[in-house]
Every structure is written in C-alpha cells, then in structure tokens.
PDB file of all heavy atoms in Angstrom:
ATOM      1  N   MET M 311     -14.548  11.228  18.749  1.00  0.00           N
ATOM      2  CA  MET M 311     -13.524  10.698  17.846  1.00  0.00           C
ATOM      3  C   MET M 311     -14.116  10.521  16.457  1.00  0.00           C
ATOM      4  O   MET M 311     -15.207  10.008  16.313  1.00  0.00           O
ATOM      5  CB  MET M 311     -13.037   9.342  18.376  1.00  0.00           C
ATOM      6  CG  MET M 311     -11.950   8.713  17.501  1.00  0.00           C
ATOM      7  SD  MET M 311     -11.372   7.110  18.148  1.00  0.00           S
ATOM      8  CE  MET M 311     -10.588   7.637  19.664  1.00  0.00           C
ATOM      9  N   ASP M 312     -13.373  10.968  15.461  1.00  0.00           N
ATOM     10  CA  ASP M 312     -13.828  10.815  14.083  1.00  0.00           C
ATOM     11  C   ASP M 312     -13.308   9.512  13.512  1.00  0.00           C
ATOM     12  O   ASP M 312     -12.175   9.097  13.763  1.00  0.00           O
ATOM     13  CB  ASP M 312     -13.309  11.966  13.211  1.00  0.00           C
ATOM     14  CG  ASP M 312     -13.912  13.296  13.645  1.00  0.00           C
ATOM     15  OD1 ASP M 312     -15.060  13.270  14.090  1.00  0.00           O
ATOM     16  OD2 ASP M 312     -13.205  14.306  13.512  1.00  0.00           O
ATOM     17  N   TYR M 313     -14.156   8.884  12.741  1.00  0.00           N
ATOM     18  CA  TYR M 313     -13.767   7.634  12.091  1.00  0.00           C
ATOM     19  C   TYR M 313     -13.762   7.839  10.577  1.00  0.00           C
ATOM     20  O   TYR M 313     -14.660   8.468  10.027  1.00  0.00           O
ATOM     21  CB  TYR M 313     -14.756   6.513  12.452  1.00  0.00           C
ATOM     22  CG  TYR M 313     -14.675   6.114  13.908  1.00  0.00           C
ATOM     23  CD1 TYR M 313     -15.483   6.751  14.844  1.00  0.00           C
ATOM     24  CD2 TYR M 313     -13.803   5.126  14.326  1.00  0.00           C
ATOM     25  CE1 TYR M 313     -15.421   6.406  16.181  1.00  0.00           C
ATOM     26  CE2 TYR M 313     -13.738   4.768  15.666  1.00  0.00           C
ATOM     27  CZ  TYR M 313     -14.547   5.412  16.591  1.00  0.00           C
ATOM     28  OH  TYR M 313     -14.475   5.067  17.902  1.00  0.00           O
ATOM     29  N   PHE M 314     -12.741   7.340   9.969  1.00  0.00           N
ATOM     30  CA  PHE M 314     -12.628   7.467   8.517  1.00  0.00           C
ATOM     31  C   PHE M 314     -12.764   6.092   7.889  1.00  0.00           C
ATOM     32  O   PHE M 314     -12.155   5.128   8.352  1.00  0.00           O
ATOM     33  CB  PHE M 314     -11.264   8.073   8.131  1.00  0.00           C
ATOM     34  CG  PHE M 314     -11.076   9.465   8.623  1.00  0.00           C
ATOM     35  CD1 PHE M 314     -10.479   9.712   9.863  1.00  0.00           C
ATOM     36  CD2 PHE M 314     -11.524  10.537   7.869  1.00  0.00           C
ATOM     37  CE1 PHE M 314     -10.326  11.000  10.312  1.00  0.00           C
ATOM     38  CE2 PHE M 314     -11.353  11.833   8.326  1.00  0.00           C
ATOM     39  CZ  PHE M 314     -10.759  12.071   9.551  1.00  0.00           C
ATOM     40  N   CYS M 315     -13.572   6.029   6.894  1.00  0.00           N
ATOM     41  CA  CYS M 315     -13.761   4.766   6.174  1.00  0.00           C
ATOM     42  C   CYS M 315     -12.883   4.796   4.924  1.00  0.00           C
ATOM     43  O   CYS M 315     -13.037   5.679   4.082  1.00  0.00           O
ATOM     44  CB  CYS M 315     -15.217   4.575   5.773  1.00  0.00           C
ATOM     45  SG  CYS M 315     -15.500   3.034   4.856  1.00  0.00           S
ATOM     46  N   ILE M 316     -11.950   3.891   4.853  1.00  0.00           N
ATOM     47  CA  ILE M 316     -11.032   3.836   3.717  1.00  0.00           C
ATOM     48  C   ILE M 316     -11.411   2.664   2.825  1.00  0.00           C
ATOM     49  O   ILE M 316     -11.445   1.515   3.264  1.00  0.00           O
ATOM     50  CB  ILE M 316      -9.572   3.675   4.188  1.00  0.00           C
ATOM     51  CG1 ILE M 316      -9.186   4.840   5.101  1.00  0.00           C
ATOM     52  CG2 ILE M 316      -8.621   3.580   2.996  1.00  0.00           C
ATOM     53  CD1 ILE M 316      -7.801   4.695   5.709  1.00  0.00           C
ATOM     54  N   ASN M 317     -11.739   2.965   1.614  1.00  0.00           N
ATOM     55  CA  ASN M 317     -12.074   1.917   0.659  1.00  0.00           C
ATOM     56  C   ASN M 317     -10.823   1.502  -0.107  1.00  0.00           C
ATOM     57  O   ASN M 317     -10.182   2.342  -0.745  1.00  0.00           O
ATOM     58  CB  ASN M 317     -13.137   2.411  -0.347  1.00  0.00           C
ATOM     59  CG  ASN M 317     -14.467   2.668   0.337  1.00  0.00           C
ATOM     60  OD1 ASN M 317     -14.877   1.905   1.210  1.00  0.00           O
ATOM     61  ND2 ASN M 317     -15.124   3.756  -0.055  1.00  0.00           N
ATOM     62  N   ILE M 318     -10.490   0.270  -0.030  1.00  0.00           N
ATOM     63  CA  ILE M 318      -9.318  -0.254  -0.732  1.00  0.00           C
ATOM     64  C   ILE M 318      -9.795  -1.066  -1.931  1.00  0.00           C
ATOM     65  O   ILE M 318     -10.544  -2.031  -1.781  1.00  0.00           O
ATOM     66  CB  ILE M 318      -8.452  -1.136   0.189  1.00  0.00           C
ATOM     67  CG1 ILE M 318      -7.961  -0.308   1.390  1.00  0.00           C
ATOM     68  CG2 ILE M 318      -7.266  -1.718  -0.568  1.00  0.00           C
ATOM     69  CD1 ILE M 318      -7.206  -1.134   2.405  1.00  0.00           C
ATOM     70  N   ILE M 319      -9.380  -0.661  -3.081  1.00  0.00           N
ATOM     71  CA  ILE M 319      -9.755  -1.365  -4.304  1.00  0.00           C
ATOM     72  C   ILE M 319      -8.581  -2.225  -4.743  1.00  0.00           C
ATOM     73  O   ILE M 319      -7.475  -1.729  -4.961  1.00  0.00           O
ATOM     74  CB  ILE M 319     -10.119  -0.375  -5.426  1.00  0.00           C
ATOM     75  CG1 ILE M 319     -11.298   0.493  -4.974  1.00  0.00           C
ATOM     76  CG2 ILE M 319     -10.459  -1.123  -6.712  1.00  0.00           C
ATOM     77  CD1 ILE M 319     -11.644   1.581  -5.976  1.00  0.00           C
ATOM     78  N   ILE M 320      -8.802  -3.501  -4.812  1.00  0.00           N
ATOM     79  CA  ILE M 320      -7.752  -4.422  -5.224  1.00  0.00           C
ATOM     80  C   ILE M 320      -8.002  -4.827  -6.670  1.00  0.00           C
ATOM     81  O   ILE M 320      -9.064  -5.342  -7.010  1.00  0.00           O
ATOM     82  CB  ILE M 320      -7.727  -5.684  -4.329  1.00  0.00           C
ATOM     83  CG1 ILE M 320      -7.448  -5.274  -2.872  1.00  0.00           C
ATOM     84  CG2 ILE M 320      -6.676  -6.675  -4.824  1.00  0.00           C
ATOM     85  CD1 ILE M 320      -7.522  -6.435  -1.898  1.00  0.00           C
ATOM     86  N   ILE M 321      -7.043  -4.537  -7.495  1.00  0.00           N
ATOM     87  CA  ILE M 321      -7.149  -4.905  -8.905  1.00  0.00           C
ATOM     88  C   ILE M 321      -6.356  -6.172  -9.140  1.00  0.00           C
ATOM     89  O   ILE M 321      -5.164  -6.238  -8.865  1.00  0.00           O
ATOM     90  CB  ILE M 321      -6.609  -3.782  -9.806  1.00  0.00           C
ATOM     91  CG1 ILE M 321      -7.409  -2.496  -9.545  1.00  0.00           C
ATOM     92  CG2 ILE M 321      -6.682  -4.177 -11.273  1.00  0.00           C
ATOM     93  CD1 ILE M 321      -6.861  -1.289 -10.292  1.00  0.00           C
ATOM     94  N   ASP M 322      -7.027  -7.191  -9.612  1.00  0.00           N
ATOM     95  CA  ASP M 322      -6.373  -8.469  -9.861  1.00  0.00           C
ATOM     96  C   ASP M 322      -5.808  -8.461 -11.276  1.00  0.00           C
ATOM     97  O   ASP M 322      -6.540  -8.489 -12.255  1.00  0.00           O
ATOM     98  CB  ASP M 322      -7.388  -9.621  -9.719  1.00  0.00           C
ATOM     99  CG  ASP M 322      -6.733 -10.979  -9.892  1.00  0.00           C
ATOM    100  OD1 ASP M 322      -5.497 -11.057  -9.836  1.00  0.00           O
ATOM    101  OD2 ASP M 322      -7.483 -11.961 -10.089  1.00  0.00           O
ATOM    102  N   VAL M 323      -4.502  -8.379 -11.375  1.00  0.00           N
ATOM    103  CA  VAL M 323      -3.838  -8.368 -12.673  1.00  0.00           C
ATOM    104  C   VAL M 323      -3.193  -9.726 -12.904  1.00  0.00           C
ATOM    105  O   VAL M 323      -2.386 -10.185 -12.099  1.00  0.00           O
ATOM    106  CB  VAL M 323      -2.761  -7.266 -12.737  1.00  0.00           C
ATOM    107  CG1 VAL M 323      -2.081  -7.275 -14.100  1.00  0.00           C
ATOM    108  CG2 VAL M 323      -3.396  -5.911 -12.460  1.00  0.00           C
ATOM    109  N   ALA M 324      -3.557 -10.373 -13.990  1.00  0.00           N
ATOM    110  CA  ALA M 324      -3.006 -11.693 -14.292  1.00  0.00           C
ATOM    111  C   ALA M 324      -1.583 -11.539 -14.813  1.00  0.00           C
ATOM    112  O   ALA M 324      -1.349 -10.956 -15.856  1.00  0.00           O
ATOM    113  CB  ALA M 324      -3.872 -12.401 -15.338  1.00  0.00           C
ATOM    114  N   VAL M 325      -0.643 -12.000 -14.011  1.00  0.00           N
ATOM    115  CA  VAL M 325       0.757 -11.945 -14.409  1.00  0.00           C
ATOM    116  C   VAL M 325       1.349 -13.334 -14.266  1.00  0.00           C
ATOM    117  O   VAL M 325       1.203 -13.976 -13.235  1.00  0.00           O
ATOM    118  CB  VAL M 325       1.549 -10.955 -13.529  1.00  0.00           C
ATOM    119  CG1 VAL M 325       3.030 -10.975 -13.919  1.00  0.00           C
ATOM    120  CG2 VAL M 325       0.987  -9.554 -13.642  1.00  0.00           C
ATOM    121  N   MET M 326       2.013 -13.780 -15.293  1.00  0.00           N
ATOM    122  CA  MET M 326       2.642 -15.081 -15.237  1.00  0.00           C
ATOM    123  C   MET M 326       3.868 -14.994 -14.342  1.00  0.00           C
ATOM    124  O   MET M 326       4.787 -14.221 -14.597  1.00  0.00           O
ATOM    125  CB  MET M 326       3.040 -15.553 -16.641  1.00  0.00           C
ATOM    126  CG  MET M 326       3.649 -16.931 -16.636  1.00  0.00           C
ATOM    127  SD  MET M 326       3.939 -17.554 -18.281  1.00  0.00           S
ATOM    128  CE  MET M 326       4.671 -19.148 -17.843  1.00  0.00           C
ATOM    129  N   LYS M 327       3.889 -15.782 -13.269  1.00  0.00           N
ATOM    130  CA  LYS M 327       4.976 -15.698 -12.302  1.00  0.00           C
ATOM    131  C   LYS M 327       6.070 -16.738 -12.569  1.00  0.00           C
ATOM    132  O   LYS M 327       7.183 -16.597 -12.057  1.00  0.00           O
ATOM    133  CB  LYS M 327       4.425 -15.877 -10.881  1.00  0.00           C
ATOM    134  CG  LYS M 327       3.463 -14.774 -10.469  1.00  0.00           C
ATOM    135  CD  LYS M 327       2.958 -14.995  -9.052  1.00  0.00           C
ATOM    136  CE  LYS M 327       2.005 -13.875  -8.640  1.00  0.00           C
ATOM    137  NZ  LYS M 327       1.471 -14.059  -7.265  1.00  0.00           N
ATOM    138  N   ASN M 328       5.772 -17.755 -13.332  1.00  0.00           N
ATOM    139  CA  ASN M 328       6.731 -18.834 -13.522  1.00  0.00           C
ATOM    140  C   ASN M 328       7.706 -18.510 -14.659  1.00  0.00           C
ATOM    141  O   ASN M 328       7.706 -19.131 -15.708  1.00  0.00           O
ATOM    142  CB  ASN M 328       6.004 -20.154 -13.801  1.00  0.00           C
ATOM    143  CG  ASN M 328       6.875 -21.348 -13.452  1.00  0.00           C
ATOM    144  OD1 ASN M 328       7.963 -21.214 -12.912  1.00  0.00           O
ATOM    145  ND2 ASN M 328       6.389 -22.526 -13.775  1.00  0.00           N
ATOM    146  N   ILE M 329       8.515 -17.475 -14.428  1.00  0.00           N
ATOM    147  CA  ILE M 329       9.543 -17.071 -15.387  1.00  0.00           C
ATOM    148  C   ILE M 329      10.906 -17.295 -14.740  1.00  0.00           C
ATOM    149  O   ILE M 329      11.164 -16.814 -13.630  1.00  0.00           O
ATOM    150  CB  ILE M 329       9.390 -15.591 -15.799  1.00  0.00           C
ATOM    151  CG1 ILE M 329       8.049 -15.376 -16.509  1.00  0.00           C
ATOM    152  CG2 ILE M 329      10.532 -15.167 -16.704  1.00  0.00           C
ATOM    153  CD1 ILE M 329       7.778 -13.925 -16.877  1.00  0.00           C
ATOM    154  N   ILE M 330      11.743 -18.044 -15.415  1.00  0.00           N
ATOM    155  CA  ILE M 330      13.061 -18.378 -14.891  1.00  0.00           C
ATOM    156  C   ILE M 330      14.099 -17.554 -15.641  1.00  0.00           C
ATOM    157  O   ILE M 330      14.247 -17.684 -16.854  1.00  0.00           O
ATOM    158  CB  ILE M 330      13.349 -19.885 -15.064  1.00  0.00           C
ATOM    159  CG1 ILE M 330      12.297 -20.721 -14.318  1.00  0.00           C
ATOM    160  CG2 ILE M 330      14.755 -20.229 -14.601  1.00  0.00           C
ATOM    161  CD1 ILE M 330      12.358 -22.201 -14.635  1.00  0.00           C
ATOM    162  N   LYS M 331      14.811 -16.711 -14.918  1.00  0.00           N
ATOM    163  CA  LYS M 331      15.798 -15.837 -15.537  1.00  0.00           C
ATOM    164  C   LYS M 331      17.155 -16.537 -15.600  1.00  0.00           C
ATOM    165  O   LYS M 331      17.675 -16.986 -14.584  1.00  0.00           O
ATOM    166  CB  LYS M 331      15.922 -14.532 -14.746  1.00  0.00           C
ATOM    167  CG  LYS M 331      17.028 -13.603 -15.248  1.00  0.00           C
ATOM    168  CD  LYS M 331      16.778 -13.109 -16.669  1.00  0.00           C
ATOM    169  CE  LYS M 331      17.887 -12.178 -17.128  1.00  0.00           C
ATOM    170  NZ  LYS M 331      17.711 -11.742 -18.529  1.00  0.00           N
ATOM    171  N   VAL M 332      17.700 -16.636 -16.804  1.00  0.00           N
ATOM    172  CA  VAL M 332      19.013 -17.237 -17.021  1.00  0.00           C
ATOM    173  C   VAL M 332      19.961 -16.162 -17.535  1.00  0.00           C
ATOM    174  O   VAL M 332      19.642 -15.452 -18.493  1.00  0.00           O
ATOM    175  CB  VAL M 332      18.930 -18.399 -18.042  1.00  0.00           C
ATOM    176  CG1 VAL M 332      20.324 -18.862 -18.444  1.00  0.00           C
ATOM    177  CG2 VAL M 332      18.135 -19.563 -17.460  1.00  0.00           C
ATOM    178  N   TRP M 333      21.122 -16.066 -16.907  1.00  0.00           N
ATOM    179  CA  TRP M 333      22.090 -15.041 -17.292  1.00  0.00           C
ATOM    180  C   TRP M 333      23.165 -15.647 -18.190  1.00  0.00           C
ATOM    181  O   TRP M 333      23.685 -16.735 -17.930  1.00  0.00           O
ATOM    182  CB  TRP M 333      22.748 -14.419 -16.052  1.00  0.00           C
ATOM    183  CG  TRP M 333      21.777 -13.731 -15.154  1.00  0.00           C
ATOM    184  CD1 TRP M 333      21.220 -14.222 -14.017  1.00  0.00           C
ATOM    185  CD2 TRP M 333      21.227 -12.422 -15.318  1.00  0.00           C
ATOM    186  NE1 TRP M 333      20.357 -13.318 -13.458  1.00  0.00           N
ATOM    187  CE2 TRP M 333      20.344 -12.197 -14.237  1.00  0.00           C
ATOM    188  CE3 TRP M 333      21.407 -11.417 -16.277  1.00  0.00           C
ATOM    189  CZ2 TRP M 333      19.636 -11.002 -14.086  1.00  0.00           C
ATOM    190  CZ3 TRP M 333      20.689 -10.226 -16.123  1.00  0.00           C
ATOM    191  CH2 TRP M 333      19.831 -10.029 -15.035  1.00  0.00           C
ATOM    192  N   ASN M 334      23.499 -14.916 -19.256  1.00  0.00           N
ATOM    193  CA  ASN M 334      24.620 -15.282 -20.138  1.00  0.00           C
ATOM    194  C   ASN M 334      24.514 -16.704 -20.685  1.00  0.00           C
ATOM    195  O   ASN M 334      25.530 -17.375 -20.872  1.00  0.00           O
ATOM    196  CB  ASN M 334      25.948 -15.100 -19.401  1.00  0.00           C
ATOM    197  CG  ASN M 334      26.176 -13.673 -18.964  1.00  0.00           C
ATOM    198  OD1 ASN M 334      25.866 -12.736 -19.696  1.00  0.00           O
ATOM    199  ND2 ASN M 334      26.695 -13.495 -17.758  1.00  0.00           N
ATOM    200  N   ASP M 335      23.292 -17.157 -20.942  1.00  0.00           N
ATOM    201  CA  ASP M 335      23.067 -18.489 -21.512  1.00  0.00           C
ATOM    202  C   ASP M 335      23.805 -19.561 -20.712  1.00  0.00           C
ATOM    203  O   ASP M 335      24.416 -20.475 -21.262  1.00  0.00           O
ATOM    204  CB  ASP M 335      23.523 -18.521 -22.984  1.00  0.00           C
ATOM    205  CG  ASP M 335      23.046 -19.783 -23.712  1.00  0.00           C
ATOM    206  OD1 ASP M 335      22.028 -20.372 -23.294  1.00  0.00           O
ATOM    207  OD2 ASP M 335      23.702 -20.187 -24.701  1.00  0.00           O
ATOM    208  N   ASN M 336      23.726 -19.448 -19.379  1.00  0.00           N
ATOM    209  CA  ASN M 336      24.422 -20.386 -18.503  1.00  0.00           C
ATOM    210  C   ASN M 336      23.501 -20.810 -17.364  1.00  0.00           C
ATOM    211  O   ASN M 336      23.700 -20.419 -16.210  1.00  0.00           O
ATOM    212  CB  ASN M 336      25.704 -19.743 -17.965  1.00  0.00           C
ATOM    213  CG  ASN M 336      26.569 -20.733 -17.215  1.00  0.00           C
ATOM    214  OD1 ASN M 336      26.544 -21.931 -17.493  1.00  0.00           O
ATOM    215  ND2 ASN M 336      27.335 -20.243 -16.252  1.00  0.00           N
ATOM    216  N   PRO M 337      22.485 -21.640 -17.673  1.00  0.00           N
ATOM    217  CA  PRO M 337      21.513 -22.021 -16.650  1.00  0.00           C
ATOM    218  C   PRO M 337      22.088 -23.009 -15.644  1.00  0.00           C
ATOM    219  O   PRO M 337      23.030 -23.753 -15.951  1.00  0.00           O
ATOM    220  CB  PRO M 337      20.392 -22.675 -17.464  1.00  0.00           C
ATOM    221  CG  PRO M 337      21.100 -23.251 -18.649  1.00  0.00           C
ATOM    222  CD  PRO M 337      22.191 -22.266 -18.975  1.00  0.00           C
ATOM    223  N   THR M 338      21.521 -23.013 -14.447  1.00  0.00           N
ATOM    224  CA  THR M 338      21.881 -24.022 -13.461  1.00  0.00           C
ATOM    225  C   THR M 338      21.060 -25.274 -13.722  1.00  0.00           C
ATOM    226  O   THR M 338      20.022 -25.232 -14.400  1.00  0.00           O
ATOM    227  CB  THR M 338      21.602 -23.527 -12.036  1.00  0.00           C
ATOM    228  OG1 THR M 338      20.171 -23.372 -11.876  1.00  0.00           O
ATOM    229  CG2 THR M 338      22.291 -22.196 -11.773  1.00  0.00           C
ATOM    230  N   GLU M 339      21.488 -26.385 -13.164  1.00  0.00           N
ATOM    231  CA  GLU M 339      20.734 -27.632 -13.331  1.00  0.00           C
ATOM    232  C   GLU M 339      19.356 -27.513 -12.691  1.00  0.00           C
ATOM    233  O   GLU M 339      18.379 -28.073 -13.206  1.00  0.00           O
ATOM    234  CB  GLU M 339      21.512 -28.807 -12.738  1.00  0.00           C
ATOM    235  CG  GLU M 339      22.736 -29.194 -13.550  1.00  0.00           C
ATOM    236  CD  GLU M 339      23.273 -30.565 -13.173  1.00  0.00           C
ATOM    237  OE1 GLU M 339      22.618 -31.255 -12.378  1.00  0.00           O
ATOM    238  OE2 GLU M 339      24.350 -30.925 -13.680  1.00  0.00           O
ATOM    239  N   ASP M 340      19.269 -26.802 -11.557  1.00  0.00           N
ATOM    240  CA  ASP M 340      17.970 -26.625 -10.898  1.00  0.00           C
ATOM    241  C   ASP M 340      17.011 -25.845 -11.786  1.00  0.00           C
ATOM    242  O   ASP M 340      15.809 -26.160 -11.841  1.00  0.00           O
ATOM    243  CB  ASP M 340      18.144 -25.884  -9.561  1.00  0.00           C
ATOM    244  CG  ASP M 340      18.733 -26.783  -8.480  1.00  0.00           C
ATOM    245  OD1 ASP M 340      18.724 -28.014  -8.670  1.00  0.00           O
ATOM    246  OD2 ASP M 340      19.206 -26.240  -7.465  1.00  0.00           O
ATOM    247  N   GLN M 341      17.511 -24.837 -12.471  1.00  0.00           N
ATOM    248  CA  GLN M 341      16.650 -24.065 -13.378  1.00  0.00           C
ATOM    249  C   GLN M 341      16.121 -24.956 -14.506  1.00  0.00           C
ATOM    250  O   GLN M 341      14.930 -24.907 -14.833  1.00  0.00           O
ATOM    251  CB  GLN M 341      17.420 -22.879 -13.955  1.00  0.00           C
ATOM    252  CG  GLN M 341      17.666 -21.762 -12.963  1.00  0.00           C
ATOM    253  CD  GLN M 341      18.488 -20.636 -13.553  1.00  0.00           C
ATOM    254  OE1 GLN M 341      19.466 -20.869 -14.271  1.00  0.00           O
ATOM    255  NE2 GLN M 341      18.109 -19.397 -13.259  1.00  0.00           N
TER     256      GLN M 341
END
C-alpha cells in the first residue's frame, strides 16, 4: 500500500469578524 503525505499550509489572515450589517438604515435593537 502506498502512503501519501499531504502537507496542509494554514495561512492565518487577520480579519475583523465583529461587523454588524444594517439594511436600509433600519437597525434592530439587538444590533
């Protein structure tokens, strides 16, 4: 049986996740 070694490269990209999308300038109270 042949075995294949797969190298996985993980690139850490800094992305700001705390973005709140408001539609038509009508936010909810929770937002």
Side-chain angles (χ1 to χ4, degrees):
M311 181 180 294
D312 295 327
Y313 292 91
F314 296 92
C315 179
I316 301 175
N317 293 320
I318 300 175
I319 300 175
I320 299 175
I321 301 174
D322 183 15
V323 180
V325 177
M326 182 173 179
K327 296 180 179 179
N328 203 6
I329 297 177
I330 300 170
K331 175 64 179 177
V332 170
W333 298 99
N334 299 320
D335 192 25
N336 188 28
T338 66
E339 289 195 7
D340 285 344
Q341 287 177 318

